[in-house]
Amino acid sequence: MVREDSFIGIDLGGTQLRVAAIDAAGRILDRRAAPVDRAGGVRAVIGQMEALIAKVRRPDTAVVGIGVPGAFDPGQGLVLDIPALAGWTAIPLATEIEARTGLPTVLENDAKVAALGEWRFGAGRGIADFAYLTISTGIGGAFVVGDRLVRGFRGLAGEVGHTRITDRSAPCSCGHEGCWEAVASGTALARAARMAVDRQPRSRLAALAGEAPATGEDVTRAAREGCPVALTLLREEAAWLAAGLVNVQHAFSPERVVLGGGVSQALDLMLADIREAMRRRLLPGHEVPDIASSKLGDDAGLIGAAVHAKESR
Ligand SMILES: [Zn+2]
């Protein structure tokens, strides 16, 4: 008899907790979400996970995978630190979920599970050398090299957002300066947009932002309407993205690069600039890789966490 197992993926973000059951083909069978109970702390959030698992769980559910936005110990199932959530230090999360649900539970880094989702069921399907980068609040990354997801010693591999890319004073979320994410993330784009609005208060970008601080989404929208201020911002963003992608290419040589996160929604507006800048910088004889947007979008991490659970059995 064929076993029709299902697998639960959990995407723990700084603001949203999302839980889904998927089948072996990567289809979402059921999904639930809740705002992370930040005030309630670790206990409350683990309780939220338990409650959402109970809602999506099916009789054939085999295992749970959790994408962790921070450092963890996969062997012990221990969350070591989540910068975006207070109190998450040395939390035996996998053991807790196992005790409450009776389901084997595994942890993996959030960018790595998103890459796994895209690799198995999204824009990286069938590609043996593949890079996934999420360009949002920060820059996260994960790499598949020779058909294997690269974890490295203690799982740090892929944190390319914190490779140093410029000498200019650009403070990063990690406490240092000049990191790729400090100049190329959605946060950096929004910061540049706010400064541009101050300089160009009559621009379409300023009009779209209105009274609120300009966002990366405002930039994309204004650029699509032909706003020269927004188009300049995206040209600068493309240059910073290309600078980091050239480093990625020289380090891992992916055949395809998949970009997720909010900034990737403007990829079509930046792609020609990115490709041209990369072409100029790559070693002679090498080609710019295929660069595509995420296919699973916001669900990459959710599906990927379940895929990780499935493949960890
Ligand atoms: Zn950094």
Side-chain angles (χ1 to χ4, degrees):
M1 192 183 148
V2 181
R3 288 199 314 173
E4 299 283 341
D5 285 349
S6 64
F7 314 90
I8 289 178
I10 299 184
D11 178 17
L12 172 61
T15 54
Q16 278 280 310
L17 173 65
R18 303 189 303 148
V19 178
I22 73 157
D23 66 11
R27 286 180 295 242
I28 292 180
L29 304 169
D30 196 359
R31 62 189 304 160
R32 300 298 157 101
V36 172
D37 184 354
R38 297 175 66 97
V42 176
R43 289 284 111 201
V45 176
I46 291 175
Q48 287 184 297
M49 286 185 187
E50 181 187 2
L52 295 181
I53 288 169
K55 286 184 174 150
V56 303
R57 181 176 189 167
R58 305 162 84 86
D60 66 356
T61 295
V63 59
V64 176
I66 305 176
V68 178
F72 65 100
D73 179 332
Q76 308 231 39
L78 202 62
V79 171
L80 300 174
D81 182 52
I82 298 181
L85 291 171
W88 285 80
T89 37
I91 305 297
L93 180 60
T95 315
E96 278 283 341
I97 296 298
E98 282 177 7
R100 288 163 183 244
T101 64
L103 293 168
T105 301
V106 290
L107 309 182
E108 180 54 284
N109 168 268
D110 60 345
K112 290 190 181 66
V113 293
L116 198 52
E118 289 289 345
W119 186 31
R120 293 290 186 236
F121 298 115
R125 205 164 181 164
I127 308 283
D129 295 287
F130 158 69
Y132 173 82
L133 294 159
T134 171
I135 319 290
S136 55
T137 312
I139 293 183
F143 301 91
V144 170
V145 177
D147 260 326
R148 289 178 70 92
L149 182 66
V150 178
R151 292 188 168 83
F153 181 63
R154 292 191 176 161
L156 187 63
E159 292 284 6
V160 287
H162 300 287
T163 52
R164 190 173 175 116
I165 207 160
T166 177
D167 280 338
R168 78 161 58 171
S169 170
C172 185
S173 66
C174 68
H176 298 286
E177 296 222 347
C179 297
W180 191 23
E181 97 166 28
V183 291
S185 63
T187 307
L189 178 60
R191 192 188 311 121
R194 290 196 298 274
M195 292 194 295
V197 163
D198 286 345
R199 286 193 309 268
Q200 307 277 352
R202 292 173 184 280
S203 61
R204 181 69 187 136
L205 175 62
L208 281 175
E211 295 300 306
T215 64
E217 282 172 12
D218 293 331
V219 176
T220 305
R221 232 178 103 198
R224 290 200 193 285
E225 294 179 21
C227 169
V229 175
L231 287 166
T232 299
L233 287 168
L234 286 187
R235 268 197 297 278
E236 289 164 3
E237 173 67 19
W240 283 122
L241 285 176
L245 288 172
V246 163
N247 293 345
V248 161
Q249 203 61 26
H250 284 133
F252 296 102
S253 193
E255 177 184 352
R256 180 174 298 165
V257 176
V258 172
L259 301 184
V263 175
S264 70
Q265 278 157 25
L267 179 61
D268 61 306
L269 296 167
M270 299 187 287
L271 190 56
D273 286 347
I274 292 173
R275 296 190 66 87
E276 175 55 21
M278 287 183 74
R279 193 189 57 74
R280 285 198 305 267
R281 286 287 307 271
L282 281 175
L283 285 179
H286 292 276
E287 287 179 18
V288 176
D290 190 16
I291 302 172
S293 294
S294 155
K295 200 166 167 184
L296 304 181
D298 282 347
D299 289 338
L302 194 58
I303 293 171
V307 171
H308 173 63
K310 170 177 174 273
E311 297 183 359
S312 300
R313 284 204 298 170

